[in-house]
Amino acid sequence: MLIAGNWKMNKTASEAAEFCAALKDRVAGLEGAVDIAVFPPFTSLSAAVRTLADTEVAVGAQNVHWENDGAFTGEISPPMLRELGVYAAIVGHSERRQYFGETDENVARRASAALENGLFVIACVGELEHEREAGETENVVRRQVSVLSEDDRLVVAYEPVWAIGTGKTATPEQAREAHRFIKELLDVPVLYGGSVTPGNAEELLAQEGVDGALVGGASLDLDSFVAICETAAR
Ligand code: PGA
């Protein structure tokens, strides 16, 4: 099981250092029982890497570019992350697709460049609410997954967009169904994401094909994040 905390645009470097120092103590006993990773904003990566250096908690970035360097204002490349001691990157988060124009094609490029550079990758997929209502979920997810290639370091996160930050979660059946579908397309671990909390984690993580969770809002609060990690460890 992998529990990954996507902090989004939250926590400055000093806040990240403080959070990671506390996290380190709280999850020390879970080592070996669950894999844990945090995904701070770029400016807080270094503080997180330093604070978690002597632990099993991994640190990842929320995005990564496909080129190693060049005229790409505002972007960060895989070697830049590697040199910092960053271990993984998220690609294709729905907020990147929705607000920053990311497409299946550039998500695929980001994923393969990151993998080639030795990073682990969490590639996010998931349908919008109107797509689910129109019975399009499988078509959308198939389109998003089909640009990815199987890799030992690739993980997919199924995040129904209507469940992200809304307090609505997929039902256990919806999650099971989507994870089964993704695994038929690609033989990789699949995380569930979308309003995961300590209250619903147990049921979601118990579903067949759910290999962990990508947690947004609840990963910002130490008690909530630790509780979800403890649930996964059981
Ligand atoms: P949420 O976010 O847990 O706040 O819904 C999940 C995500 O966007 O990864």
Side-chain angles (χ1 to χ4, degrees):
M1 277 270 155
L2 168 63
I3 302 299
N6 173 15
W7 295 2
K8 311 192 179 188
M9 198 173 71
N10 294 287
K11 298 195 193 294
T12 65
S14 59
E15 289 165 349
E18 194 183 324
F19 182 93
C20 290
L23 178 66
K24 177 172 151 170
D25 292 339
R26 296 278 301 273
V27 299
L30 303 180
E31 269 179 25
V34 55
D35 294 323
I36 302 171
V38 293
F39 293 78
F42 288 121
T43 48
S44 301
L45 286 171
S46 184
V49 167
R50 236 179 304 118
T51 312
L52 295 168
D54 52 348
T55 73
E56 296 284 303
V57 180
V59 177
Q62 297 171 17
N63 192 17
V64 62
H65 197 258
W66 54 85
E67 294 290 345
N68 285 351
D69 45 52
F72 299 102
T73 302
E75 291 284 325
I76 302 287
S77 77
M80 292 171 181
L81 296 176
R82 290 283 288 171
E83 193 181 295
L84 275 188
V86 168
Y87 174 86
I90 294 173
V91 299
H93 190 277
S94 65
E95 286 149 19
R96 301 290 322 168
R97 294 178 191 258
Q98 235 178 319
Y99 308 136
F100 303 100
E102 294 205 4
T103 61
D104 293 334
E105 196 234 340
N106 68 41
V107 169
R109 292 177 79 185
R110 291 178 196 277
S112 55
L115 292 166
E116 272 164 33
N117 279 276
L119 291 163
F120 280 74
V121 168
I122 299 180
C124 304
V125 303
E127 79 289 356
L128 301 166
E129 189 153 36
H130 72 82
E131 293 168 333
R132 175 164 284 273
E133 283 165 0
E136 285 297 311
T137 298
E138 292 199 345
N139 286 338
V140 170
V141 170
R142 185 187 298 107
R143 194 197 71 222
Q144 293 170 332
V145 170
S146 65
V147 297
L148 303 168
S149 313
E150 226 157 83
D151 191 288
D152 288 347
R153 276 177 279 108
L154 177 68
V155 172
V156 167
Y158 171 63
E159 301 203 299
V161 180
W162 47 270
I164 295 179
T166 57
K168 294 188 209 169
T169 49
T171 64
E173 297 71 36
Q174 287 170 330
R176 218 167 41 228
E177 191 52 26
H179 284 233
R180 183 196 54 71
F181 181 69
I182 293 166
K183 280 169 179 283
E184 276 171 16
L185 300 170
L186 213 56
D187 184 19
V188 295
V190 181
L191 310 181
Y192 172 79
S195 298
V196 175
T197 63
N200 60 28
E202 185 161 6
E203 191 176 29
L204 287 163
L205 293 173
Q207 302 310 310
E208 195 183 338
V210 176
D211 301 307
L214 182 54
V215 186
S219 75
L220 297 172
D221 176 73
L222 187 66
D223 289 337
S224 303
F225 189 59
V226 169
I228 295 168
C229 293
E230 286 169 346
T231 299
R234 283 197 294 271

